[in-house]
Amino acid sequence: MLENDLSPAVDNTVYLKDYQPPTHAIDHVALHFHLAEKTTAVKAELLIRALSTGDEPLVLDGDKMKLQSLEIDGRVADEEEYLLTDETLTIHALPRQCKLKIVTELQPHLNTELSGLYQSSGNFCTQCEAEGFRRITYFLDRPDVLSVYDVTITADQASCPILLSNGNPVSSGENSDGTHWQRWHDPHPKPSYLFALVAGDLQSINDCFETMSGKTIELNIYTQAHNIDKCGHAMDSLKAAMLWDEKVYGREYDLDIYNVVAVDDFNMGAMENKGLNIFNSKYVLADQQTATDADYEGIQSVIGHEYFHNWSGNRVTCRDWFQLSLKEGFTVFRDQEFSADMGSRAVKRIRDVQALRTYQFKEDAGPMAHPVRPESYQEINNFYTVTIYEKGAEVIRMMRSLIGNEGFRNATDLYFERFDGQAVTTEDFVCCMEQANDIDLRQFRRWYTQAGTPVITVEQEYYDDSNLFTLVFSQSCPATPGQSDKQPFVIPICFALLDNSGIEQHAETMMLTETTQTVEFRDWGHAPVVSMLRDFSAPVKVEFEQSDDELAHLVQFDTNGFARWEAMQRLSLNLILPAVDGNEFDPVLYHKLLNALGRLIDGAPEDKAMLALMLTLPGSSYIANLCRPIKSQAVYRTRRKLESALAIDLQDRLFSLYRDNQSSGLFSLEAGAMAQRELQNRALSYLVATERDEFYALARQQYDIANTMTDRLAAFAALVHSAYRDKQAIIDDFYSRYRQDALVLDKWFAMQAMVPEENALANVQTLLKHSAFSINNPNKVRSLIGAYTANMPSFHNPDGSGYVFLADKIIELNQINPQIAARLAGAFNNWREHVEPNSSMMKNQLERINNEQALAKDIREIVSKALA
């Protein structure tokens, strides 16, 4: 042990600057799986072709499997011809073209990391992105090695009647020993991370889609038998996504069959494997009794996202993992636009911005800050981040803003046509934008290479003597790890000027390219009210002093949904932030906010989902991110105090709003029906915050008679997170109703983990022992342990107990599923920003984790960077 402690740490950092093309190609892969209860045998036949002029050895990646045999062109390899380590298989002096046959042995039932081939609910499935294929066979497991795959699966026919892989089914048969086999062929070359296999006792719903060229595609969604009636919405979403991609991007599906499989044990949301998407069941299964409207929307979005990857990720893939946002940022943008077209565009934009500000801005300000195209990483799984995905999507959105819808479509057509079947870079994508539109994006590329959230400072001035109004824009960007000096970005800023009557007199999108720029408006008889950063035209922070009256004016008159919502958020924050430090709410500003909310309710806008958002105070996490130091408990108390005060003063209006929007009639997923439920439940949440018995009774009545999970869960959450005296009875009732439904129990765990009470941690520790909880299941870990880290009053208790608990669980998960543990460790990333003693206590737990001897590199990277 002493020798190990004194040895230098191994630097596992991978750098973009060190990228080298592969030394060999693998033109064809034939895989033969013999699946069995304990041990699975995999035979891989690889057609190898040397790409370099030298005699470099072939270095194949491999991890956590047993090599059974190796043949080169039909003969057994001599031991001196190859070198086997824990992570590689190096073969020397190969012919320039040859055929390798590699046989490996796996134990999928012991694979708790859920990477490679593993078992979920007794069924076999795979997850190969980013580096899971190397746990199946020895391979050049990198995204720039594209191969044609033929896959044969053999398994027990009784326990695994369904055998699926990528591409199209070719042939099948039965064996005399009770096993059967299925062969699949994928004609499109793909990287190993897109390989997929599923085998088990599954049922399916089936449909078809006719493409714009008249080809009929077979569509199947597979799940366990008891969930088969919950797949209809996923199928409808799939067909809607296929039609949308044809209309908006001209992209048609390219195989004969499209399969989706829902599994209970999955580290992520879903995986876009070519022709065989594997999904966390959370993003497939839904009916009105067990899924909320938010669940339905999430399914539509994720189904669309994975389908859109067929072109933006599969047909054109990324050269290396530093280019991850090439496929993910672009595809998130595509799924955001798809969802916006399916519902309220303004509401979708606001929700996306809420997530970006709460999570990505926080990441940009922390130790894991990185550019959209990172320069280095230690563990690639840690870079499936909100920066790569959501900020990457914002970069795409800004490019579209620069060149317009038609120019963007021309550029994406060029991109798909030029690079079909290739592994490329973000630079290739940007070049297509330039060439299709004759535009220079050299400065714009800084969005890919510079980390951090730019800060835009706006100063306004009106000159009475000359009727001149000016806006002075300045940009800066804070230092981030490894990047102290930042160059100016290209920032599209959409703004408008409103007159005293609320009428829009001018609107434009200016490009901020310099450190400081001034815009002048002449012949204005009075100072206008500025509607700034409309539609959140760039992922930036804006520092712009506007009076409370100006903000109230925008709330009342602005026609841009985002800008109007933003004005209400700022009005609320102007009241909340001073009070976090112990001050009383400013009575004048409080009444301005109260009056603004009252006018909104009385105005009864057409978009009820927008009204629900306008009535919602900024989230506690977002507020906390604005405070320095962060006072989590004070933030939570202040927000709750304001919500309660507003609820009491608006209770008559809120009760009318609730009554007028109660759900009635048949269940519908139409946007209007979902918006009505959202507004009803927003009103109910406020009413329960009054802590009046009559409104507790109202919520309990809604819980009892609800015919949708949306309404029942809203009432359940309102009561459980309040001072309601009989909350244990309703907790027990909820469990009794849904004890057989794993996804609903995830909600049950999460709601209890978030109860804002001193004994919340004790309750969470009790729930860890509940028969329905399994620390091996990522959904359960996220719903209980992950949700608890968002419980600001309890997790950030100054006694540090919440931090000790989380560190304990991270250390435990290190041996089970390091990828999930690393995600949890991110809760400590901003420890420096917290008030004492919380800051020191968080640091202590980071050090305790970091001192673990066998810490996985996933966790080590997060923890060491947080401490650095």
Side-chain angles (χ1 to χ4, degrees), residues 508-653:
E508 70 171 274
T509 299
M510 70 159 289
M511 295 299 160
L512 180 61
T513 59
E514 306 296 331
T515 302
T516 301
Q517 289 174 222
T518 301
V519 182
E520 295 183 347
F521 301 92
R522 299 185 181 278
D523 301 321
W524 281 77
H526 57 81
V529 177
V530 184
S531 170
M532 186 59 66
L533 204 69
R534 289 182 142 196
D535 294 323
F536 198 68
S537 56
V540 299
K541 296 178 181 179
V542 176
E543 295 179 352
F544 181 27
E545 286 192 16
Q546 289 180 289
S547 70
D548 297 328
D549 288 337
E550 287 177 300
L551 295 175
H553 190 76
L554 292 171
V555 170
Q556 186 172 0
F557 296 113
D558 204 329
T559 57
N560 184 266
F562 170 79
R564 191 180 184 206
W565 170 82
E566 173 73 345
M568 179 60 85
Q569 294 287 288
R570 291 179 62 193
L571 201 60
S572 302
L573 288 169
N574 286 350
L575 192 61
I576 292 170
L577 291 174
V580 170
D581 292 326
N583 301 315
E584 292 297 321
F585 293 128
D586 181 298
V588 175
L589 179 52
Y590 175 80
H591 280 92
K592 286 180 181 178
L593 178 62
L594 185 68
N595 292 335
L597 290 169
R599 282 194 299 269
L600 284 171
I601 295 172
D602 295 341
E606 228 175 84
D607 190 339
K608 293 184 176 182
M610 175 61 78
L611 177 56
L613 283 172
M614 294 287 288
L615 294 177
T616 305
L617 295 175
S620 295
S621 294
Y622 177 62
I623 298 169
N625 290 341
L626 298 176
C627 299
R628 289 297 181 270
I630 296 173
K631 302 175 181 178
S632 296
Q633 292 189 321
V635 165
Y636 180 84
R637 288 194 300 267
T638 303
R639 185 189 184 279
R640 186 148 185 164
K641 179 181 176 182
L642 178 59
E643 185 176 43
S644 178
L646 292 170
I648 291 169
D649 287 335
L650 291 169
Q651 65 180 11
D652 291 341
R653 284 165 156 152

Side-chain angles (χ1 to χ4, degrees), residues 795-855:
F795 180 61
H796 294 287
N797 190 317
D799 68 5
S801 57
Y803 307 147
V804 173
F805 166 76
L806 179 61
D808 287 344
K809 294 300 116 184
I810 290 168
I811 291 168
E812 182 178 355
L813 281 162
N814 176 54
Q815 301 298 323
I816 300 169
N817 191 326
Q819 192 176 147
I820 297 300
R823 296 278 174 176
L824 292 174
F828 290 130
N829 274 348
N830 65 341
W831 64 270
R832 286 182 175 85
E833 311 300 338
H834 283 259
V835 69
E836 289 290 0
N838 297 73
S839 179
S840 296
M841 290 179 171
M842 294 173 87
K843 181 184 179 184
N844 290 341
Q845 296 311 311
L846 280 169
E847 291 173 338
R848 181 162 74 93
I849 298 167
N850 200 43
N851 288 334
E852 285 291 307
Q853 290 299 309
L855 197 63

Side-chain angles (χ1 to χ4, degrees), residues 346-414:
V347 168
K348 173 60 177 168
R349 187 64 184 138
I350 290 168
R351 288 174 178 163
D352 289 340
V353 172
Q354 285 177 313
L356 189 82
R357 283 175 165 174
T358 301
Y359 303 109
Q360 198 281 320
F361 281 16
K362 182 178 178 180
E363 184 170 87
D364 257 349
M368 287 295 290
H370 57 276
V372 172
R373 191 197 65 198
E375 296 294 325
S376 66
Y377 63 80
Q378 294 175 26
E379 170 51 61
I380 185 55
N381 286 326
N382 289 336
F383 281 82
Y384 284 75
T385 63
V386 281
T387 297
I388 299 295
Y389 281 64
E390 279 72 19
K391 187 175 182 178
E394 294 299 316
V395 173
I396 302 294
R397 186 178 299 276
M398 287 188 290
M399 270 194 279
R400 188 185 66 171
S401 176
L402 288 169
I403 61 180
N405 291 341
E406 183 178 350
F408 186 72
R409 170 62 190 272
N410 291 338
T412 57
D413 284 349
L414 175 63

Side-chain angles (χ1 to χ4, degrees), residues 90-103:
T90 302
I91 309 174
H92 300 280
L94 284 175
R96 294 197 61 79
Q97 295 190 44
C98 64
K99 180 178 181 179
L100 296 183
K101 183 161 73 175
I102 303 170
V103 178

Side-chain angles (χ1 to χ4, degrees), residues 19 25 55 77 133 153 162 169 225 234 316 330 387-388 459 479 485 503 520 522 528-529 594 625 641 678 717 783:
Y19 170 82
D55 57 353
F133 193 74
I153 309 167
I162 301 298
V316 184
F330 185 20
T387 297
I388 299 295
E459 296 178 357
D485 297 320
I503 298 172
E520 295 183 347
R522 299 185 181 278
V529 177
L594 185 68
N625 290 341
K641 179 181 176 182
E678 184 174 1
S783 68

Side-chain angles (χ1 to χ4, degrees), residues 276-287:
L276 177 56
N277 288 185
I278 300 178
F279 273 66
N280 187 323
S281 56
K282 171 182 173 66
Y283 293 108
V284 173
L285 306 178
D287 64 24

